[in-house]
């Protein structure tokens, strides 16, 4: 997946959170021939190489959000119709604020109101770190893991964070802050200028980042080629395709996506591995080619 300029590799949670923020090295822009070679690889090989590349940065300490039940649901569940803590994040910012006002206890609610007022009074980037950036770091401890993402999205909005500010927060922040930035993109960025952040998240194997990356912003702006690979990345890492925003519209009639899904199913079948049920769901949405030989639909239906 090509991306403009240089973007640092994403960090994941681990035991060395004491390292300074912003310690990210530049990454050379990917040459076109490298991208073509990458596209020819099996999804497993692409994901494995991505994981190795992102492993070059120091691991980070576990944060309170790491015990978020939402993370467990995203990582281990199949497609579920149960509402998740992510559900309000797709709402309008006004609805999001009402949701937190209703659900937060008095102390965290008062902290959030102060943080929003502070961000609104001093928006934008100020020096090495702005006051509202510090509040982003505090949100998990102050509001609790269940509401930290939503609180951070509201703080970013109050700070009128544009693409430059969001990029700084993303590449200098923790995985939790990065996830909040991705959730904030459809609310705060109207054009494709923040796509490098989505593309960086899609190179990780962090299922929570992947879930946030395939939201409404990606649905609006990712090019077809990159969007197809995002769907395959979800299938490989176990992120339910229910989290892929606008999936039915973008998959409809996409013969190339159907071909890629058939190839992936054939590879897994040849290796004696289970084909994810979600793959057949997406294949049905393409309304195109039949599954590759040896990958009959589990319900006896051809797509």
């Amino acid at each position: 997946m090509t991306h403009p300029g240089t973007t640092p590799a994403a960090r994941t949670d681990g035991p060395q959170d004491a390292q300074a923020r912003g310690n990210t090295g530049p990454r050379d822009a990917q040459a076109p021939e490298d991208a073509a070679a990458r596209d020819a690889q099996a999804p497993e090989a692409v994901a494995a190489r991505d994981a190795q590349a992102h492993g070059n940065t120091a691991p980070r300490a576990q944060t309170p959000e790491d015990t978020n039940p939402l993370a467990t649901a995203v990582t281990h569940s199949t497609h579920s119709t149960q509402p998740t803590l992510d559900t309000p994040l797709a709402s309008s910012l006004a609805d999001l604020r009402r949701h937190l006002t209703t659900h937060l206890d008095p102390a965290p609610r008062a902290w959030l109101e102060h943080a929003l007022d502070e961000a609104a009074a001093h928006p934008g980037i100020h020096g090495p770190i702005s006051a509202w950036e510090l509040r982003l770091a505090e949100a998990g401890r102050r509001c609790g893991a269940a509401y930290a993402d939503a609180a951070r999205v509201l703080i970013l909005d109050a700070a009128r964070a544009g693409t430059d500010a969001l990029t700084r927060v993303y590449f200098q922040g923790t995985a939790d802050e990065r996830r909040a930035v991705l959730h904030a993109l459809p609310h705060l960025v109207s054009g494709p200028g923040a796509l490098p952040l989505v593309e960086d998240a899609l190179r990780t194997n962090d299922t929570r980042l992947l879930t946030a990356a395939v939201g409404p912003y990606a649905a609006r702006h990712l090019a077809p080629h990159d969007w197809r690979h995002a769907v395959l990345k979800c299938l490989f890492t176990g992120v339910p395709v229910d989290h892929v925003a606008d999936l039915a519209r973008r998959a409809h009639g996409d013969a190339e996506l159907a071909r890629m899904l058939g190839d992936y199913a054939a590879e897994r079948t040849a290796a004696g591995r289970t084909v994810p049920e979600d793959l057949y769901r997406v294949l049905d949405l393409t309304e195109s080619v039949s599954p590759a030989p040896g990958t009959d639909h589990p319900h006896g239906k051809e797509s």
Side-chain angles (χ1 to χ4, degrees), residues 111 153 167 169 288 292:
W111 176 88
V153 169
T167 299
V169 171
S288 186

Side-chain angles (χ1 to χ4, degrees), residues 200-257:
D200 183 88
L202 291 174
R203 288 192 292 271
T204 77
N205 282 340
D206 183 328
T207 56
R208 291 180 295 164
L209 279 180
L210 290 173
T211 299
V214 294
Y217 187 82
R220 294 174 196 164
H221 299 296
L222 266 184
H225 171 82
D226 295 336
W227 184 81
R228 294 179 190 119
H229 279 276
V231 173
L232 286 176
K233 188 67 173 279
C234 288
L235 293 172
F236 176 72
T237 57
V239 172
V241 295
D242 288 338
H243 292 293
V244 180
D246 215 4
L247 175 65
R249 179 186 66 82
R250 292 210 58 168
H252 179 73
D254 192 336
E256 176 61 15
L257 176 60

Side-chain angles (χ1 to χ4, degrees), residues 5 10 19 29 38 42 47 104 129 138 145 161 168 180-182 184 188 226 237 264 277:
Q19 293 203 354
R38 178 190 180 98
L104 286 176
I129 188 166
E138 294 178 36
R168 180 165 104 168
V181 167
L182 294 170
L188 303 182
D226 295 336
T237 57
Y264 181 43
E277 175 66 20

Side-chain angles (χ1 to χ4, degrees), residues 14 119 157 169 184 230 251 262 286 298:
D157 173 63
V169 171
T286 66

Side-chain angles (χ1 to χ4, degrees), residues 116-137:
L116 295 177
D117 290 343
E118 180 182 53
H122 305 284
I125 297 174
H126 304 283
I129 188 166
S130 303
W132 58 265
E133 292 180 85
L134 296 175
R135 304 299 166 251
L136 293 177

